[in-house]
Amino acid sequence: MLTVLAGGVGAARFLEGVVQVVPPATVTAVVNTGDDFVLHGLVISPDLDIVTCTLADLIDREQGWGIAGDTDECMQWLGRLGGPTWFKLGDRDLALHIRRTALLSEGESLTAIADQFCQALGVAVKLLPMSDDPAPTHILTPVGEMHFEEYFVRRRAQDRVTGVRLHAAGRALPSPDALAACAEAEAILIAPSNPVVSVGPIVSLPGMREAIRSARVPVVAVSPIVGGAAIKGPAAPLMQAMGMEVSALGVARAYADLIDGIVIDQVDADLAPAIAALGLQVAVTDTIMRGPAEKAHLAAVTLALADQVRQARHGPAPDANPGAG
Amino acid sequence: MLTVLAGGVGAARFLEGVVQVVPPATVTAVVNTGDDFVLHGLVISPDLDIVTCTLADLIDREQGWGIAGDTDECMQWLGRLGGPTWFKLGDRDLALHIRRTALLSEGESLTAIADQFCQALGVAVKLLPMSDDPAPTHILTPVGEMHFEEYFVRRRAQDRVTGVRLHAAGRALPSPDALAACAEAEAILIAPSNPVVSVGPIVSLPGMREAIRSARVPVVAVSPIVGGAAIKGPAAPLMQAMGMEVSALGVARAYADLIDGIVIDQVDADLAPAIAALGLQVAVTDTIMRGPAEKAHLAAVTLALADQVRQARHGPAPDANPGAG
């Protein structure tokens, strides 16, 4: 059993590689819900929807989000009726938000709803929202504090970032299923997602970091930073605001107390010694996921690094050694 | 100022005639909300939407409801996700329900929302929901009590009707605006709508009947029953269940204590003497609204009957006679 900590587009593509090299039913993704927000009275879960629709092969691959071939009739009319139009919602796409909102109001958990959607759309990977509680990520800027989507989509990431506030609704708890998926995994992978606003919200949930470390299984990340820039999304300004270096080394440092190894891109090979000096194992490969072959390759390299971590551990793990203590 | 008590399709078409013969801005329609219900977590107001979209010339004229040229992408996906699909909601159409639900949850009244929609869609007639409270109409059948739309749409009016329960959510109050529209009107027209489930919910709101009668202005109805059958919709079984004769005479009897006159179709001319014997004035004409000309004609005949009622009143109204009493 493999658990992957996941954000949106990068994680979705990485998971497409993972399911080429291990059986999908053995894979669980714990997905960031820090981007979730309410618009038009509808609960929108951007990362869950991106991962679900990508694995269902329904995603608009050019955008990385939204459903392929979708139309925007409803959105146009919402605008005509005075509703906000800064966050595009396709007609098919809207069905996810409408159904999710209806089921939440009937008392279903986000976890149960994610599972229903996976079953309905034929996704064999288990997709777990990190939390069933609202856990919005807020971005602090000179013009005020705002939800991540407002910063990123509505204001097009134009504001200087002075800080990030995770779980801004108050204390959010990890879902029991998400905690269990970390505690019971044979390996934990951190997808090439934004370390600040995608992976950050997951691993800073109370008890989550401990669940990951106490699992005593290889924890391996894939750097989302290649050649000093993010493949997609606002990782650079957000990492900078958090005082991180925008590089694979910066990512490695951010994760240093959580991971055993990291996969970095070949263009960053010169950073490998500095990362190794942090006590991490490093794999260097082509991490740009252009198509299915590159995705499968990256997944295979990442899993191989996890195996390498496992083999490098000297002596059995304490709980496998009944004679100890 | 003219106030029209309105249901759905018949009322919408009648109002299209009215606005051809008097300035739209002098017309107010008090619209039935007994058909309103929640589906997919969205508040749906069938009659309000039909009247709004008809007067905005956006209606699907073949169906009488829905928006012309609408698509059903969202609905198909809602079905795919396990949602109910028995009530068709087009993609454009959904924008009305989504926006209405969002505004209600922000604390706006249905009255304010109806006004916003009219302004956004260019409707000059003032459309007033009969009530800002939930006032669902339930149909009693041998298989149980159900919402009107469940009886009519989901179960295709297949069940024997044993009764009708208006305002099934408990006591609903008329909106202050709707009461005022009746109290201050110079004439009140009852559109050719279902007397049981369209007009019934309006006039049985507490104080509404009194507001209409105490206005002391002509009150004139148009019979929705022509040749012993409803032009559209389930009026026949519902009238029968209420012990009414399914005829223009039955309609006249149902409204007898509320109206001064009634417009009936030429095919029902033989009923005129019996209706006159109820103390009502009668106009006989072609009431089938095939196109704009027939709609305008029906509106003109109805307004002429209201004038006739006004002129036929002998002596001044009591409050215009300071010497009386």
Side-chain angles (χ1 to χ4, degrees), chain A residues 39-114:
Chain A
L39 195 67
H40 309 288
L42 303 174
V43 179
I44 299 173
S45 291
D47 283 352
L48 270 172
D49 286 349
I50 287 168
V51 174
T52 304
C53 290
T54 299
L55 291 174
D57 199 18
L58 297 167
I59 204 79
D60 181 323
R61 292 195 176 272
E62 198 159 327
Q63 293 181 141
W65 49 269
I67 295 175
D70 211 348
T71 49
D72 66 347
E73 293 291 336
C74 189
M75 197 76 218
Q76 287 190 33
W77 281 65
L78 280 168
R80 195 165 170 174
L81 295 173
T85 57
W86 57 267
F87 195 89
K88 299 299 172 203
L89 298 168
D91 295 320
R92 299 172 183 178
D93 189 23
L94 267 165
L96 297 167
H97 315 311
I98 292 172
R99 185 82 183 130
R100 174 185 298 118
T101 307
L103 290 170
L104 284 169
S105 77
E106 290 170 14
E108 295 272 18
S109 68
L110 199 57
T111 299
I113 296 165

Side-chain angles (χ1 to χ4, degrees), chain B residues 80-288:
Chain B
R80 196 166 170 173
L81 295 172
T85 57
W86 57 268
F87 196 89
K88 299 299 172 204
L89 298 168
D91 295 320
R92 298 172 183 178
D93 189 24
L94 267 164
L96 298 167
H97 315 312
I98 292 172
R99 185 81 183 129
R100 174 184 298 118
T101 307
L103 290 170
L104 283 169
S105 77
E106 289 170 16
E108 295 271 19
S109 69
L110 198 57
T111 298
I113 296 165
D115 189 53
Q116 282 187 37
F117 284 12
C118 282
Q119 287 186 32
L121 300 176
V123 174
V125 172
K126 191 167 190 63
L127 299 184
L128 296 174
M130 66 181 198
S131 176
D132 284 321
D133 304 321
T137 296
H138 282 195
I139 306 298
L140 312 184
T141 77
V143 298
E145 177 173 339
M146 61 188 80
H147 187 276
F148 170 75
E149 295 294 349
E150 192 164 351
Y151 157 78
F152 183 48
V153 178
R154 186 177 202 170
R155 297 180 58 82
R156 298 162 194 271
Q158 69 183 321
D159 304 295
R160 189 163 57 83
V161 179
T162 58
V164 174
R165 192 150 74 97
L166 302 178
H167 315 157
R171 187 179 171 91
L173 294 177
S175 87
D177 288 5
L179 269 185
C182 290
E184 296 162 11
E186 290 166 10
I188 297 171
L189 310 184
I190 300 180
S193 296
N194 188 316
V196 179
V197 295
S198 296
V199 179
I202 302 174
V203 298
S204 61
L205 286 165
M208 186 61 91
R209 192 174 286 268
E210 295 71 19
I212 294 169
R213 290 317 299 177
S214 64
R216 292 194 177 80
V217 295
V219 182
V220 172
V222 178
S223 173
I225 302 294
V226 173
I231 302 295
K232 193 174 170 76
L238 291 167
M239 289 180 72
Q240 276 164 347
M242 295 292 97
M244 300 176 191
E245 183 180 300
V246 184
S247 71
L249 176 58
V251 175
R253 283 191 188 123
Y255 290 154
D257 67 341
L258 197 63
I259 64 176
D260 304 300
I262 186 167
V263 179
I264 65 172
D265 195 82
Q266 55 204 7
V267 305
D268 296 316
D270 59 328
L271 298 174
I275 295 174
L278 297 171
L280 301 177
Q281 300 213 29
V282 188
V284 180
T285 192
D286 177 9
T287 65
I288 310 292

Side-chain angles (χ1 to χ4, degrees), chain B residues 34-59:
Chain B
D35 298 0
D36 291 20
F37 68 120
V38 175
L39 194 68
H40 310 287
L42 303 173
V43 179
I44 299 173
S45 291
D47 283 353
L48 269 171
D49 286 349
I50 286 169
V51 174
T52 304
C53 291
T54 299
L55 291 174
D57 200 18
L58 297 166
I59 204 80

